[in-house]
Amino acid sequence: MNHQDVVAQLIELVTPIAEGRVAVITENTGITSELGLDSLRVMDLVVAVEDQFDISVPINALAEVRTVGDFASLIQKSAGENA
Amino acid sequence: MKENSRLKAVRAVREELAAVGIDPFGVQIDRIVSPTEGIIDGRPTILAGTNNYLGMTFDPDCIASAREALESAGTGTTGSRMANGSYASHRELELDLARFYGKRDAIVFSTGYQANLGMISALAGPGDTVMIDADSHASIYDGCTLAGANTIRFRHNDADDLAKRMRRLGDGAADALIIVEGVYSMLGDRAPLRDFVRVKQEFGATLLVDEAHSMGVLGKKGQGLAEEDGVLADIDYVVGTFSKSLGNTGGFCVGDSADMDVLRYASRPYVFTASLAPATIAATRTALRKLEAATDLRLRLQANAERLHAGLSALGFRLGAPANAVVAVLVGEKLEALRFWDHLLKNGVYVNLMVPPATPGNESLLRCSVSAAHTPEQIDAICAAFGSWPGVKA
């Protein structure tokens, strides 16, 4: 799966959790800085991502995630390790 | 001095509480009267938020042991066991714990929090995988952070979800460390421990169980959920605390590993902290002896838990789990929970207010911990205080 496909699916997952805080979510949108997701909502997003992509996301790796694009890269990395 | 921006979120919560005029996280018990009574704001108050499950804090034998040790061995050890030496009683307590659990050896830590930090960070490191229940206590999350290991959460109490994630690890599954708790401190719900043992065995992994809220409470001998479920021999490491059923301060781990003595030296939270004071060790040894024989206290505790659970259910409250030493009332919205908590305190009942993110399901809780030392009249008074709340019940 290429990066843009993952980004598109991730935007679909994050949109209901973000509850309309940002009108247009892109690869460069900040997950906590712009969407304002607190730690609980980030965990909701992780669970949704894990179900969607059938992967396990290590929570320690989330420290490096700032944007939707960063998270998409982590998903690709996790999917590679799980494959 | 410049304002620390990292404290912004915590500061905001403190200011929110100050605006309401209620501070549930700064309660001062002006005078402690008994395991179940204190004076707060000048009012006699029933303590129903202390985790003093067996009421051991005022046990005369424990107090006598502590007093004798205080007189004979002084107030403190003034250093870590590795750098400054152990007292004989530290090792004696470890041998007591190993015998109590029927395990090869034990390590005593200075708190239960440090026991989890110490064990997890000694057993796992960068590149290793730790599988933890999503509702794990902060000490387990912090232990994983200290370890620097890949930390994967599985759905709360869901052995199938754990197995699915273990399968994804492939050959690495056998090296994974799985961590669950016997009883979860927020809702008081129990782990399906036999299911987790089956997963551990299927993949040949290592299983650590934190019995902080089940030691002394469950099992014929009070060893916890592992004893009650008949799987104690299948669990690699049991972590526990002295600060609940044993009525003191400290933590421990017991296990059958031949490396138990190596683990303590690989554990920074063991090495770089002061050891427990002689009076603490002495009282804990006495409490452990009494806990093992305290079938009557466990029966009384269960009867009290059932009385409280039934009373609150009859009032229409939503509760977190079947009757257990932890009875959690689900309140929902944070501000409502805060006012409810304050109402209880002003009516002479102290419980714990728990709010997200510390709680599961994004819900606020009024958490009661039941003690064997509560009288039926006190349990009824707790129910009456809950029943006098004029707001929404569920």
Side-chain angles (χ1 to χ4, degrees), chain B residues 51-94:
Chain B
N51 303 321
N52 197 352
Y53 299 131
L54 298 181
M56 208 68 92
T57 49
F58 279 80
D59 181 89
D61 295 328
C62 294
I63 291 172
S65 298
R67 186 175 286 135
E68 195 277 329
L70 183 63
E71 296 283 354
S72 64
T75 54
T77 64
T78 64
S80 91
R81 289 175 65 183
M82 192 167 160
N84 306 78
S86 289
Y87 289 14
S89 60
H90 289 118
R91 186 62 189 144
E92 286 161 359
L93 175 56
E94 288 176 342

Side-chain angles (χ1 to χ4, degrees), chain A residues 39-40 43 47 50-51 54-60 82, chain B residues 132 141 149-153 155 164-165 168 356-357 362:
Chain A
S39 58
L40 281 174
M43 286 305 159
V47 169
E50 289 179 326
D51 287 346
D54 193 25
I55 56 171
S56 298
V57 177
I59 55 173
N60 50 298
N82 293 158
Chain B
I132 65 171
Y141 277 94
N150 284 327
T151 305
I152 294 173
R153 303 186 336 153
R155 285 186 165 84
K164 184 170 76 178
R165 289 164 192 275
R168 287 177 184 148
N362 207 10

